Amino acid sequence: MKHHMMRMFINTDAATTDWSVGKEVLLAFCEADFRLVPESIYQWETRIGEFHSIEQCEPHWAGIARSRIRGSLIEFPIGLGWRRKKDIRYQAEIKHSQTNMLGHWLSGKLSVYAAPHKTVDWLPAFRRLCRVMRPTFGLLHYFVPIEDTERSGTPESYFGGGVVPPRGTLKDIPNLGWATFLGGELAKAVKAELIEEAGFTIEKINDGYLLRLTDNINDLADNYSHFSKRRAELKKLFPDDFFLVKHEPISV
């Protein structure tokens, strides 16, 4: 059975392992709303313990793991995860940017999954994370059952999982969310003045743009048809091949 779920994804080519980044990421949650302060911290699925302070997370933000592959000892950073069950139920995890065995740079990703809550405003945290992590692509969206698919490998499933293209690719963005950040090469497709003239909210952050479709993320649950229509209108202001999802899931 499908459920409503709030999801946030921050995808970045910038380095993420330094604690100066980790501290700011955690502050984005803790200072946005006291109900977003973590309760427990994790590495992979292993619970480290209760969350008491941001400072206690420093040794765990980018712990080093070691693995022997084809006779070679490989070291790589382990991301930190945190969860909350009281008041607001959510979980978050950072997968760090890093260099793989072939010497290729792999993008990092912060993923957040949360139970929807009418009184929680996730936008301040999302906006701050876009400043701190300098993403190529960011998404804050309230997924309702009508657009949440279980079919893997489809444009809709890429959208639901926050999957984005490699650097420099401009043709594989899955879809627009309630709030979407386009940075780096992707920002070149943003016609800021045209978007603003069309009545959409757009903010310049570092080298990218934060776009918002409506004033309230709860519009997806309360008036999805209106949201869907607004998204279709905004997508017309981008190149025809910019998005993988071409049509809205319901008639608008």
Side-chain angles (χ1 to χ4, degrees), residues 172-184:
D172 296 330
I173 294 300
N175 207 355
L176 285 172
W178 175 77
T180 306
F181 182 84
L182 299 174

Side-chain angles (χ1 to χ4, degrees), residues 21-141:
V21 176
K23 183 177 180 179
E24 289 298 321
V25 167
L26 291 168
L27 280 171
F29 290 84
C30 293
E31 294 186 351
D33 191 317
F34 72 92
R35 294 171 297 177
L36 300 182
V37 174
E39 289 179 345
S40 302
I41 56 176
Y42 291 76
Q43 279 189 326
W44 288 328
E45 290 300 315
T46 301
R47 185 177 184 273
I48 298 172
E50 294 182 0
F51 176 90
H52 298 292
S53 69
I54 289 177
E55 289 71 24
Q56 84 176 102
C57 297
E58 182 175 1
H60 309 292
W61 173 251
I64 299 299
R66 296 172 177 83
S67 178
R68 190 169 294 279
I69 301 176
R70 298 176 184 175
S72 299
L73 184 64
I74 305 298
E75 294 186 344
F76 54 93
I78 307 174
L80 180 71
W82 58 97
R83 301 179 186 178
R84 185 178 179 93
K85 295 182 178 180
K86 296 178 182 177
D87 299 324
I88 308 302
R89 185 180 181 90
Y90 83 93
Q91 64 182 56
E93 184 176 18
I94 177 74
K95 180 179 179 182
H96 288 297
S97 306
Q98 57 187 283
T99 303
N100 67 8
M101 291 179 59
L102 300 177
H104 298 153
W105 185 252
L106 302 179
S107 300
K109 182 176 182 178
L110 175 67
S111 302
V112 182
Y113 297 85
H117 195 290
K118 288 282 189 180
T119 67
V120 173
D121 184 3
W122 286 91
L123 184 60
F126 182 65
R127 182 186 288 114
R128 186 166 178 175
L129 290 166
C130 288
R131 292 196 185 100
V132 171
M133 298 185 69
R134 306 187 73 88
T136 52
F137 178 80
L139 181 75
L140 173 59
H141 193 65

